[in-house]
Amino acid sequence: MTRISLTVDGEKVSDDIEARMLLVQYLREKVGKTGTVIGCDTSNCGACTVHLNGQSVKSCNVLAVQADGGEVATIEGLATNGELHPVQTAFRECHGLQCGFCTPGMIMQSIDLLANNPHPTEEEVRVGLEGNLCRCTGYHNIVRAVMYAAEHGSSDSVQSEGASA
Amino acid sequence: MIPVQFDYLAPTSVEEALAALVEHGDEAKILAGGQSLLPVLRLRLNAPELVIDLGKIDSLRGVRDEGDAIVIGAMTPHAQVQTDPLVAEHAAVLHEAVQHLADVQIRHRGTLGGALAHADPAGDMGAPALALDAQFVIAGSSGTRTVDAQDFFVDLFETAIGEDEILTEIRIPKHTGWGAHYEKFVRVAHQWPIVAVAATVRLDGDTIAEARIGLTNMGSTPLRARAVEDALAGQPATEDAVRAAAAHATEGTNPPSDLNGDADYRSHLAGVLTRRAVLAAIGR
Ligand SMILES: Cc1cc2nc3c(=O)[nH]c(=O)nc-3n(C[C@H](O)[C@H](O)[C@H](O)COP(=O)(O)OP(=O)(O)OC[C@H]3O[C@@H](n4cnc5c(N)ncnc54)[C@H](O)[C@@H]3O)c2cc1C
Ligand code: FES
Ligand code: FES
């Protein structure tokens, strides 16, 4: 067992875990952050995307021990006082989901994208979401949602989320 | 989905990591960004007793200027290689290629050293490293040695790094002012290349003074297309000259056949992609 201490959605957590435990397992099974989902076995789908020290990562392809001392942000920490994050709002406004399974990862990756490029072109959005697969929407409304967030979302809150997460 | 049990060590210095490697021999495995190793462990294709994580060794991360060369720490993430101004200025073909490797999330975690040490023949970092005549700095318990790119890649997933050694740095002679392009052919977004070509070219007016061409996935290791390089040297920077030189792209190659394409198809691609890569590198 290895002891790890990290911050998840702003709260300090500390646990003794097996070194082989994946970050996504740790988040779901130990911390209860079941908003972060597992969509594949090959690190292709991106459904498990969270931010580790301010950068998007596939949490199925990171060991929990590698996150020791770090800061993790998940989809569950985005809304503040019941108010949706601007990118969440944008996905709702643009109908950027159908079954919703890819959505937690799509939103976390979109926030990362906008933090680095607050006013992307449509092409830049498509390339930036390359690591996130959606089996339902055909992507059009997802891309629209990110463009909408860039236009309407207070880019302040998008950026500070990306930078501090 | 979940790896078998292993012990875990996160040393803070190369010396400590080497000592652990020597002690545990082939029961131990180095962990860099984990973007290739963790899938392997999760599929249980490998089951080391000890995983030695290099993530806490700060000296292995970053890019520095050493006069006639830039030096990239093995643990420098792809995303940092992609945005580093020294890489863009002096090793433009690496800067071009890394943008096409995997996806954003994987580029945040995966490292240049990890990708090169993994030595997947379809990996995108080998061909630019070869084209740029990179040198590999490898540390062992008895000291450090430097290996040239053409001796580094030995076979499928096999490099010159010994079992008790660690790749610490990649040294790239400056190719300042050289034109560069990485032409990667895939069927769908976010795929390993079926074939790719790394081209970097120095122009002297309207003449091609020198060219360096690396091929991805045209054999069990990345390859240099030396016949193309020879055919380009001294030629006018025209489409006809480039087309004629690119016809030599398959010389010395031994492309694999798999579900993405058979060897003949890959050979055809190599010629087409070489022409495109060189033309883009010279801005034609
Ligand atoms: C979905 C997906 C898509 C991908 N697509 C591409 C792609 O299109 N093109 C591409 O090139 N790559 C692709 N990759 C792989 C990616 O480039 C990895 O980052 C890279 O291959 C391994 O780097 P790493 O730092 O993660 O190394 P790790 O996975 O940690 O290690 C890889 C291997 O190298 C050894 N190793 C690592 N560092 C050292 C060192 N310093 N000294 C000695 N041995 C070392 C390890 O023991 C291990 O055997 C993809 C990966 C995934 C999961
Ligand atoms: S579950 Fe992580 S990428 Fe699919
Ligand atoms: S909405 Fe169903 S997978 Fe994207």
PDB file of all heavy atoms in Angstrom, chain A residues 38-40 43-46 48 58 60, ligand 2:
ATOM      1  N   ILE A  38     -16.017   5.681 -17.255  1.00  0.00           N
ATOM      2  CA  ILE A  38     -15.078   4.853 -18.026  1.00  0.00           C
ATOM      3  C   ILE A  38     -15.796   4.374 -19.282  1.00  0.00           C
ATOM      4  O   ILE A  38     -16.835   3.728 -19.183  1.00  0.00           O
ATOM      5  CB  ILE A  38     -14.624   3.630 -17.208  1.00  0.00           C
ATOM      6  CG1 ILE A  38     -13.969   4.087 -15.899  1.00  0.00           C
ATOM      7  CG2 ILE A  38     -13.659   2.761 -18.018  1.00  0.00           C
ATOM      8  CD1 ILE A  38     -13.663   2.949 -14.938  1.00  0.00           C
ATOM      9  N   GLY A  39     -15.241   4.696 -20.439  1.00  0.00           N
ATOM     10  CA  GLY A  39     -15.921   4.338 -21.684  1.00  0.00           C
ATOM     11  C   GLY A  39     -15.196   3.319 -22.526  1.00  0.00           C
ATOM     12  O   GLY A  39     -15.742   2.840 -23.520  1.00  0.00           O
ATOM     13  N   CYS A  40     -13.942   3.011 -22.192  1.00  0.00           N
ATOM     14  CA  CYS A  40     -13.203   2.075 -23.045  1.00  0.00           C
ATOM     15  C   CYS A  40     -12.098   1.419 -22.243  1.00  0.00           C
ATOM     16  O   CYS A  40     -11.860   1.752 -21.088  1.00  0.00           O
ATOM     17  CB  CYS A  40     -12.610   2.812 -24.254  1.00  0.00           C
ATOM     18  SG  CYS A  40     -11.195   3.849 -23.842  1.00  0.00           S
ATOM     19  N   SER A  43      -7.864   3.635 -23.644  1.00  0.00           N
ATOM     20  CA  SER A  43      -7.472   5.047 -23.522  1.00  0.00           C
ATOM     21  C   SER A  43      -7.743   5.842 -24.795  1.00  0.00           C
ATOM     22  O   SER A  43      -7.077   6.829 -25.060  1.00  0.00           O
ATOM     23  CB  SER A  43      -6.005   5.190 -23.121  1.00  0.00           C
ATOM     24  OG  SER A  43      -5.818   4.573 -21.877  1.00  0.00           O
ATOM     25  N   ASN A  44      -8.729   5.423 -25.551  1.00  0.00           N
ATOM     26  CA  ASN A  44      -9.087   6.119 -26.783  1.00  0.00           C
ATOM     27  C   ASN A  44     -10.249   7.090 -26.619  1.00  0.00           C
ATOM     28  O   ASN A  44     -10.308   8.086 -27.317  1.00  0.00           O
ATOM     29  CB  ASN A  44      -9.474   5.110 -27.874  1.00  0.00           C
ATOM     30  CG  ASN A  44      -8.258   4.586 -28.599  1.00  0.00           C
ATOM     31  OD1 ASN A  44      -7.684   5.266 -29.428  1.00  0.00           O
ATOM     32  ND2 ASN A  44      -7.836   3.386 -28.270  1.00  0.00           N
ATOM     33  N   CYS A  45     -11.216   6.781 -25.729  1.00  0.00           N
ATOM     34  CA  CYS A  45     -12.511   7.462 -25.819  1.00  0.00           C
ATOM     35  C   CYS A  45     -12.548   8.829 -25.144  1.00  0.00           C
ATOM     36  O   CYS A  45     -13.359   9.665 -25.494  1.00  0.00           O
ATOM     37  CB  CYS A  45     -13.618   6.572 -25.266  1.00  0.00           C
ATOM     38  SG  CYS A  45     -13.678   6.526 -23.460  1.00  0.00           S
ATOM     39  N   GLY A  46     -11.743   9.044 -24.119  1.00  0.00           N
ATOM     40  CA  GLY A  46     -11.714  10.350 -23.464  1.00  0.00           C
ATOM     41  C   GLY A  46     -12.829  10.603 -22.469  1.00  0.00           C
ATOM     42  O   GLY A  46     -12.885  11.677 -21.857  1.00  0.00           O
ATOM     43  N   CYS A  48     -13.195   9.604 -19.577  1.00  0.00           N
ATOM     44  CA  CYS A  48     -12.657   9.690 -18.220  1.00  0.00           C
ATOM     45  C   CYS A  48     -11.821  10.953 -18.001  1.00  0.00           C
ATOM     46  O   CYS A  48     -11.129  11.052 -16.992  1.00  0.00           O
ATOM     47  CB  CYS A  48     -11.781   8.472 -17.971  1.00  0.00           C
ATOM     48  SG  CYS A  48     -10.341   8.480 -19.070  1.00  0.00           S
ATOM     49  N   LYS A  58      -6.345  11.638 -19.417  1.00  0.00           N
ATOM     50  CA  LYS A  58      -7.276  10.512 -19.403  1.00  0.00           C
ATOM     51  C   LYS A  58      -7.028   9.752 -18.106  1.00  0.00           C
ATOM     52  O   LYS A  58      -5.979   9.119 -17.950  1.00  0.00           O
ATOM     53  CB  LYS A  58      -7.067   9.649 -20.646  1.00  0.00           C
ATOM     54  CG  LYS A  58      -7.483  10.401 -21.911  1.00  0.00           C
ATOM     55  CD  LYS A  58      -7.298   9.613 -23.176  1.00  0.00           C
ATOM     56  CE  LYS A  58      -7.948  10.372 -24.344  1.00  0.00           C
ATOM     57  NZ  LYS A  58      -7.737   9.696 -25.649  1.00  0.00           N
ATOM     58  N   CYS A  60      -8.042   7.130 -16.902  1.00  0.00           N
ATOM     59  CA  CYS A  60      -7.858   5.670 -16.975  1.00  0.00           C
ATOM     60  C   CYS A  60      -6.424   5.331 -17.343  1.00  0.00           C
ATOM     61  O   CYS A  60      -6.051   4.166 -17.341  1.00  0.00           O
ATOM     62  CB  CYS A  60      -8.795   5.061 -18.011  1.00  0.00           C
ATOM     63  SG  CYS A  60      -8.340   5.484 -19.718  1.00  0.00           S
TER      64      CYS A  60
HETATM   65  S1  FES C   2     -12.042   5.388 -20.344  1.00  0.00           S
HETATM   66 FE1  FES C   2     -10.302   6.630 -20.424  1.00  0.00          FE
HETATM   67  S2  FES C   2     -10.062   7.008 -22.478  1.00  0.00           S
HETATM   68 FE2  FES C   2     -11.761   5.656 -22.485  1.00  0.00          FE
END
